[in-house]
Amino acid sequence: MTPESMDLIFAALAHATRRRIMDLVKEMPGCSVADVCKYFDTSRIAVMKHLRVLEEAQLIVPRKRGRVRELYLNVVPLQLIHDRWTTEYSTFWATQATDLKFRLESLGQDDSPTTDAATAQRRSASGNDRPGRKRP
Amino acid sequence: MTPESMDLIFAALAHATRRRIMDLVKEMPGCSVADVCKYFDTSRIAVMKHLRVLEEAQLIVPRKRGRVRELYLNVVPLQLIHDRWTTEYSTFWATQATDLKFRLESLGQDDSPTTDAATAQRRSASGNDRPGRKRP
DNA sequence: GTCATAGGTAACCGATACGTTACTTATCGG
DNA sequence: CCGATAAGTAACGTATCGGTTACCTATGAC
């Protein structure tokens, strides 16, 4: 999973219209481009551009059948991202999730230092709070 | 979890520099903006703009301490996204993941219809392959 | 063949993303 | 106080994004 493909996947997901297209294709596997267009007020070309973004991210897979392009959802990119990020943040997951003192709304400039995410991380930090020098 | 906040989170994740910043802050909780800058060749202002994007997505949380802004990672947005998408795609997850015939490289215009994701979805589809009319 | 329909391409436009340089503010250490 | 350092702001240039209209191609129904 290259950083570039990760960029493509996240960028594709970063738009409500594209997420809705994914939901539609998930609910109607093999639907056509015109079918998807029925659900949006924007022009067909705009939908096609969104589809292109989704296809470049491999999130939607087309299958040419006659003159129609049947669209299918492909969850493999989602799985890859899921795997990478859960392993990468598994420790944090547990730390912040099980910390009953954690409150999202207390973040920021709150002066009570025992009831926020920052404190939870300070407690679980391994000591290298400051970088020594530039990592190559 | 509004669509707008989801846009912010995914857009923030859709850039290798910002993902790297998240990794850095995860490894060095409470580090300063200047600390983060040491790891990039770009200007400090560019890093600060990336930090702004991450903060607007609530993925990074600042804590002002004197003249330095201590940075902390906040995994709550990641958890929210994780929860929403795993529940939404759980059926697909199992379908494509356990289908031994599934091959990513066979997608596209392959003529062998029994060895690709599209076929897996056709098998698991609930029949409504085509939309009847516009969903409100 | 004819024609309606599914799909694709080109050119354009305003807004936003991502980077820069220059300048300003504020705090810490002596 | 004073200089060094952390951070923030302003203005700007280029590229990409997200949408449009207009036009073109191809296939299926009849």
Side-chain angles (χ1 to χ4, degrees):
Chain A
M1 165 123 300
T2 72
E4 292 77 20
S5 62
M6 202 123 74
D7 288 1
L8 291 178
I9 296 167
F10 281 126
L13 294 172
H15 199 287
T17 301
R18 287 194 285 264
R19 292 194 299 272
R20 179 127 183 267
I21 290 177
M22 288 179 63
D23 287 341
L24 289 170
V25 173
K26 171 171 70 74
E27 298 297 327
M28 319 180 282
C31 69
S32 67
V33 177
D35 290 338
V36 174
C37 288
K38 297 194 189 88
Y39 292 80
F40 296 95
D41 292 331
T42 62
S43 70
R44 177 180 60 91
I45 287 84
V47 174
M48 278 185 24
K49 288 188 179 180
H50 285 305
L51 280 172
R52 182 180 195 83
V53 174
L54 290 167
E55 287 169 21
E56 284 172 351
Q58 303 252 50
L59 286 165
I60 281 198
V61 164
R63 164 174 288 268
K64 193 86 172 183
R65 192 170 180 82
R67 67 173 168 177
V68 305
R69 262 169 23 112
E70 297 179 346
L71 304 174
Y72 296 94
L73 186 71
N74 180 26
V75 292
V76 171
L78 296 178
Q79 289 172 330
L80 293 175
I81 283 184
H82 175 270
D83 293 346
R84 182 189 188 277
W85 285 68
T86 49
T87 57
E88 185 139 358
Y89 291 91
S90 55
T91 62
F92 259 64
W93 222 265
T95 303
Q96 288 189 357
T98 61
D99 189 348
L100 297 181
K101 298 211 196 86
F102 174 73
R103 289 181 301 136
L104 178 60
E105 57 274 18
S106 74
L107 300 177
Q109 313 225 3
D110 192 340
D111 277 342
S112 59
T114 59
T115 57
D116 62 86
T119 307
Q121 289 173 44
R122 258 182 247 115
R123 260 183 275 120
S124 64
S126 48
N128 54 344
D129 286 18
R130 292 297 156 82
R133 71 189 142 284
K134 191 159 188 157
R135 183 198 295 175
Chain B
M1 166 124 302
T2 71
E4 291 77 23
S5 62
M6 202 125 76
D7 287 0
L8 290 178
I9 296 168
F10 280 127
L13 294 171
H15 199 286
T17 300
R18 286 194 286 265
R19 292 194 299 271
R20 180 129 182 266
I21 289 178
M22 289 178 63
D23 287 341
L24 288 170
V25 174
K26 170 171 70 75
E27 297 297 326
M28 318 181 282
C31 68
S32 68
V33 176
D35 290 339
V36 174
C37 288
K38 297 195 190 87
Y39 291 80
F40 295 96
D41 293 329
T42 63
S43 70
R44 178 180 59 91
I45 288 85
V47 173
M48 279 185 23
K49 288 188 180 180
H50 284 305
L51 281 171
R52 183 181 194 83
V53 174
L54 289 167
E55 288 168 22
E56 283 174 351
Q58 303 251 50
L59 286 165
I60 281 197
V61 165
R63 163 173 290 266
K64 193 86 173 182
R65 191 170 180 83
R67 67 173 165 174
V68 305
R69 257 162 34 103
E70 297 179 347
L71 304 174
Y72 296 94
L73 186 71
N74 180 25
V75 293
V76 172
L78 296 177
Q79 288 172 330
L80 292 175
I81 283 184
H82 174 271
D83 292 346
R84 182 187 189 279
W85 284 69
T86 49
T87 57
E88 185 140 358
Y89 292 92
S90 55
T91 62
F92 260 62
W93 223 265
T95 302
Q96 288 188 357
T98 60
D99 189 346
L100 297 181
K101 297 209 198 89
F102 175 72
R103 291 181 298 136
L104 178 60
E105 57 274 18
S106 74
L107 299 176
Q109 314 226 1
D110 192 339
D111 277 342
S112 59
T114 59
T115 57
D116 60 64
T119 306
Q121 288 174 44
R122 260 180 246 116
R123 260 183 273 119
S124 65
S126 47
N128 54 342
D129 287 17
R130 291 298 155 81
R133 71 185 142 286
K134 191 155 186 158
R135 182 201 292 175

